[in-house]
Amino acid sequence: MKVTPLHRSGTSRPLIWERVDMSKVQIVTAGERESEQIHKGLQAYNRKYFSDAADLSFAAKDEEGRLLGGVEAWRVSDYVMVDVLWVDESQRGTGVGRTLLEQVERTAREHGACRITLNTFRFQAPGFYEKLGYHQFAEIPCADGNLCFFQKEL
């Protein structure tokens, strides 16, 4: 798919975008590069409407630089959404996940956030989040494991 901007005479700034012929659009599985572009595109769009927004993503690495875990989170005004929290299986139970979430919470508080929400499947980590003070507020039945939604007031 090629989208070509139409330009004002003598400028490089797009005036309008051509309409895409949907019969020529291919929907493909997004790879890491596309996924990153999608997230960045949404964040850029949201910044137009939220004057106070920030990425609160962090990674945990060992002395050799190996990734032990990470969290992707986004703050909008006084609200934080945790999109993904992942800890390598060999590191679960060592405090990596707790430390990552505590970093998100600390940074969120420093920027005036008062609430965090996240979700997890029933087979993943509901007990982990409850130990950290998160309260379940919803659950959606799924064939392979219910999806649980949690929040924490900061």
Side-chain angles (χ1 to χ4, degrees):
M1 173 176 99
K2 182 179 177 186
V3 179
T4 307
L6 299 177
H7 301 280
R8 274 189 200 102
S9 178
T11 73
S12 61
R13 296 182 59 187
L15 177 61
I16 60 171
W17 292 91
E18 287 183 16
R19 289 213 170 263
V20 175
D21 180 353
M22 289 305 293
S23 69
K24 296 179 182 176
V25 172
Q26 296 178 3
I27 304 298
V28 299
T29 303
E32 287 182 38
R33 194 171 126 229
E34 291 87 1
S35 184
E36 184 176 334
Q37 285 179 290
I38 292 164
H39 278 89
K40 287 183 184 286
L42 179 59
Q43 290 170 356
Y45 177 81
N46 286 345
R47 280 191 187 101
K48 294 177 191 176
Y49 299 95
F50 297 110
S51 60
D52 185 21
D55 187 351
L56 297 183
S57 299
F58 299 97
K61 295 184 175 187
D62 68 10
E63 297 95 17
E64 286 91 42
R66 290 180 298 221
L67 185 63
L68 305 175
V71 60
E72 291 186 1
W74 179 253
R75 182 183 58 77
V76 175
S77 187
D78 63 351
Y79 173 72
V80 174
M81 298 164 279
V82 173
D83 187 30
V84 175
L85 173 65
W86 170 80
V87 175
D88 187 271
E89 284 191 59
S90 69
Q91 300 302 313
R92 292 182 185 169
T94 65
V96 171
R98 172 187 293 273
T99 302
L100 284 164
L101 270 182
E102 287 173 348
Q103 180 65 48
V104 170
E105 292 173 10
R106 186 171 35 260
T107 305
R109 276 190 208 96
E110 289 170 2
H111 291 93
C114 61
R115 180 179 305 112
I116 295 180
T117 62
L118 54 84
N119 64 69
T120 186
F121 282 102
R122 174 72 45 208
F123 67 84
Q124 289 176 324
F128 167 76
Y129 295 115
E130 289 168 345
K131 286 179 193 174
L132 296 178
Y134 288 80
H135 303 283
Q136 184 174 332
F137 67 90
E139 187 166 342
I140 298 174
C142 299
D144 292 332
N146 293 1
L147 183 59
C148 306
F149 292 84
F150 288 85
Q151 74 176 12
K152 180 177 183 178
E153 300 296 324
L154 297 176

